[in-house]
């Protein structure tokens, strides 16, 4: 936590980028783990390897795992499908706003 605080408060933006990359990798890992946890749960020492992976991602060096995973896996994938992702998020936002507005107009919610 103290490293994130120092990154936010520093004048240099390099450390901010490093921590943002870490959180993008961690979030992607957590999202993938929601689906694959059923299978990986049975692998011996899975939690140990997961812990090692996350520590490797946090190492404050240029060769850390977060940079490796981000630049080799996540960034190319997102750049390839960026337009499709943006349009899908826009559609989801519109649907969410519509559902919210209809919920406010209806009297079906009695508190």
């Amino acid at each position: 936590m103290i490293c994130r605080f120092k990154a936010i408060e520093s004048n240099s933006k390099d450390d901010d980028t490093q921590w943002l990359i870490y959180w993008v990798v961690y979030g992607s890992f957590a999202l993938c783990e929601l689906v694959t946890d059923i299978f990986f749960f049975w692998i011996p020492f899975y939690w140990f390897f997961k812990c090692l992976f996350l520590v490797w991602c946090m190492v404050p060096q240029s060769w850390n795992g977060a940079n490796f995973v981000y630049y080799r896996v996540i960034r190319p994938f997102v750049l390839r499908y960026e337009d499709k992702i943006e349009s899908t998020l826009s559609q989801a936002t519109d649907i969410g706003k519509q559902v919210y507005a209809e919920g406010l107009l209806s009297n079906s919610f009695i508190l």
Side-chain angles (χ1 to χ4, degrees):
M1 170 135 164
I2 193 70
C3 291
R4 290 181 297 228
F5 177 78
K6 287 180 180 181
I8 292 169
E9 295 300 319
S10 72
N11 292 331
S12 171
K13 294 300 174 196
D14 293 337
D15 51 1
D16 298 352
T17 303
Q18 180 183 352
W19 282 108
L20 285 172
I21 288 173
Y22 169 76
W23 285 111
V24 166
V25 170
Y26 180 81
S28 300
F29 177 76
L31 188 63
C32 291
E33 192 179 33
L34 284 174
V35 177
T36 60
D37 191 43
I38 295 169
F39 306 111
F40 289 149
F41 174 75
W42 297 103
I43 296 175
F45 302 109
Y46 167 68
W47 296 105
F48 176 72
F49 292 121
K50 175 183 169 182
C51 221
L52 285 178
F53 172 74
L54 293 175
V55 168
W56 178 52
C57 287
M58 285 188 288
V59 173
Q61 300 293 329
S62 62
W63 48 265
N64 69 13
N67 286 338
F68 180 82
V69 172
Y70 177 77
Y71 286 110
R72 299 270 174 111
V73 178
I74 296 172
R75 186 171 188 266
F77 177 81
V78 172
L79 288 176
R80 185 179 318 138
Y81 297 108
E82 186 175 13
D83 295 335
K84 191 170 187 174
I85 293 169
E86 288 290 333
S87 73
T88 303
L89 286 175
S90 177
Q91 290 173 356
T93 301
D94 293 341
I95 291 170
K97 288 178 181 178
Q98 182 182 7
V99 168
Y100 179 73
E102 289 176 8
L104 288 177
L105 294 176
S106 73
N107 291 327
S108 62
F109 294 109
I110 300 174
L111 298 175

